[in-house]
Amino acid sequence: MKFSVSYSTPAYGTDPDRLIRFARHAEACGFEGLYVPEHLALYKGASFGGYELPADLPYGDPLELLTFVAGATERLLLGTAVLLLPYHHPAQLAKRLATVDVLSQGRMRLLTVGVGSLPGEARAMGIDFASRGRRADEAIDVLRLLWSGAHVSYAGEFFEFENVSSFPHPSAPLPIHVGGSSRAAARRAGARGDGYFPGGALTPAERAAQWDLVRTTSGRDDLEYTRWASVDLTAEAVAAYAAEGVTRLVITSADLADLTSFAERLIQA
């Protein structure tokens, strides 16, 4: 089992010293990577999972945060959970992601993308909310195409270009994991992703059904399966996750003592 941590600027703030202390401590404890979330535009009445999101939550730009973390760490992998793919142009995003990967010496390995759930955020970004899933599908294809070589062309519903090149390329093929809590997300993960990172308050039966949908859609046996987990996790609980096919667990806690205790129990033991 692999173990990573999440750092949420809406919860913990954007103090740079605190972020770096957290990242360096997680690295010293032996955690594999660090994830950050994304929202680009919040508004009054925006809600997720039945909870209203205050419009003044300090969501930092995920790739800027990860670049900052990369400069202060040595081996910690960099992740998003999730980057809202439909709200980024893939030609620009391809260059940004590849640049972070190159500057971090190949550590942009935990990219997880989603389609977003806030209609007002889509409107603020000038994106049709109803078609964001199809837009995300094309964006994944465009990212991989731009990273694959030079003088490439594409013609789709949302993006079109001829004989263009985007450099730098990632230091190695960049995995793209898909996040979400719907069967559409599971199908996207199976059809286009290298892994699945479900969220939401899903029942055990629905989680199992979605993971089965990912595997049957993909036809692959090398997909990664990432899940959120409690900082109070036990070895028995880890074994239960593994039995479900989970390959990575991500915990959330701002308390460095929590990270130390977790690592002593489950990473360093």
Side-chain angles (χ1 to χ4, degrees), residues 7 12-25 65 68-69 72 256:
Y7 191 92
Y12 311 145
T14 54
D15 179 76
D17 293 332
R18 185 179 188 185
L19 172 59
I20 293 307
R21 280 197 304 271
F22 182 91
R24 286 176 171 166
H25 189 77
L65 290 171
F68 186 66
V69 167
L256 301 189

Side-chain angles (χ1 to χ4, degrees), residues 177-178 184-197 214 217-218 223:
H177 296 195
V178 174
R187 284 190 292 270
R188 181 170 298 110
R192 286 179 165 82
D194 296 294
Y196 189 40
F197 191 166
V214 172
T217 303
S218 72
L223 295 179

